[in-house]
Amino acid sequence: MERVNPRHRQAEPGRAICARLGDPGGLTRLVSATTSQLLDSLAYSGVPYRVAAPLGGVPVHAWDLRALAADAARDGSLLVVDNSLTTSFGCAALGRGADVAFEGACALQARDGDSPTDGGGGGSPLLFVSGARGRGRLAVEALPLDDAPPVVWEALLATEGERERRRRSANDAAQVVASYLRCHPAVAHVWYPGLRDDPSHAAAASILSNGFGPLVDFALRDGWRLVTDAPLVQGLLDRLPTHAQFRLRCPAGAARPLVMGLECALVRQG
């Protein structure tokens, strides 16, 4: 019989959040830790693990979590999924093969550009950490990290609807922007898992729901440049290591302003 630590079984309203996280048993923990502290704690436990994220890399692409889980199982490792970008609203990681999944609980407190797992904007670093049955759940229960009190669960439950609305809105904005950029004469290539011809579209469609994430990567053609501090896009663009390649981080409700901003920011050289 699987061991259950009563200290970690959540009561209402925690159980409502646990169900959304893919843990109907209510054993998800809300811990005070950054991502690096969480991973250090897992490493200290001596359990071998691999870390993956549903979306990531340069250029951005979706990962087939089921395939990664199978690879991890073959060498006896846990698959630990960082779900902070997509959240469990967008990727049910435990149902896609993850042994452990975590995501930031303070995303609504973070400023644009801050890490939601590190308490951007002055919020405390809080992580939801869930484990699938077996070694994943035991690993989560054994983490030597402080648990948040019930009052914090209550406050987070009150923001659940707004958090989902913002995530969907950001994903919708990214889909619009990606479609716009692929038709722009300045753009040589667009990487966005929501585009049907994107190399990772099939993987994204199999693991993501309600959108394909807020990140759009693109490369410019010769003879064009991008004014990164132009109005409406300032602070949302990052230059990637590849020459003339950029990443746009789309906030909620910004499809039209972003398109207008890019129209002004993409200019011919000379």
Side-chain angles (χ1 to χ4, degrees):
M1 180 178 295
E2 189 173 26
R3 178 177 65 86
V4 173
N5 187 338
R7 181 171 70 90
H8 297 147
R9 185 180 293 281
Q10 301 300 333
E12 295 294 346
R15 290 180 67 86
I17 296 179
C18 290
R20 191 264 296 169
L21 293 167
D23 173 25
L27 294 170
T28 290
R29 295 179 62 184
L30 177 59
V31 299
S32 178
T34 63
T35 297
S36 58
Q37 289 169 339
L38 169 64
L39 297 179
D40 286 346
S41 295
L42 280 171
Y44 182 77
S45 70
V47 178
Y49 66 89
R50 300 182 183 185
V51 181
L55 287 175
V58 177
V60 64
H61 57 279
W63 294 94
D64 185 343
L65 294 185
R66 294 183 180 89
L68 294 179
D71 289 342
R74 277 192 285 271
D75 66 10
S77 299
L78 298 179
L79 179 63
V80 178
V81 172
D82 181 350
N83 220 3
S84 294
L85 177 62
T86 52
T87 79
S88 52
F89 287 120
C91 178
L94 295 182
R96 302 294 190 271
D99 296 295
V100 175
F102 68 91
E103 63 186 79
C106 295
L108 290 180
Q109 301 176 22
R111 300 185 304 265
D112 285 338
D114 285 333
S115 169
T117 60
D118 292 339
S124 300
L126 291 171
L127 294 173
F128 289 119
V129 189
S130 307
R133 292 188 179 278
R135 291 196 307 153
R137 179 164 292 176
L138 294 177
V140 170
E141 291 175 5
L143 288 172
L145 298 170
D146 293 332
D147 291 271
V151 65
V152 178
W153 285 88
E154 294 174 6
L156 290 170
L157 181 62
T159 67
E160 284 279 280
E162 175 65 8
R163 190 180 184 209
E164 165 68 341
R165 186 196 68 78
R166 288 182 57 176
R167 190 196 69 81
R168 287 173 182 259
S169 180
N171 289 352
D172 290 345
Q175 186 76 45
V176 171
V177 168
S179 299
Y180 161 78
L181 286 172
R182 71 182 304 181
C183 298
H184 197 286
V187 177
H189 196 86
V190 178
W191 293 269
Y192 184 66
L195 298 176
R196 291 187 179 275
D197 59 353
D198 187 88
S200 67
H201 177 74
S206 71
I207 65 167
L208 301 179
S209 58
N210 302 310
F212 294 90
L215 304 180
V216 180
D217 292 352
F218 60 99
L220 299 183
R221 298 184 188 277
D222 292 339
W224 290 83
R225 65 186 180 91
L226 180 66
V227 182
T228 56
D229 59 352
L232 303 179
V233 295
Q234 186 175 12
L236 300 176
L237 286 161
D238 298 313
R239 186 182 292 274
L240 299 178
T242 306
H243 174 66
Q245 190 170 321
F246 298 88
R247 169 165 293 173
L248 179 63
R249 293 170 284 110
C250 299
R256 184 173 181 179
L258 286 174
V259 169
M260 293 172 61
L262 288 167
E263 190 67 25
C264 297
L266 292 164
V267 297
R268 289 189 181 274
Q269 292 179 329

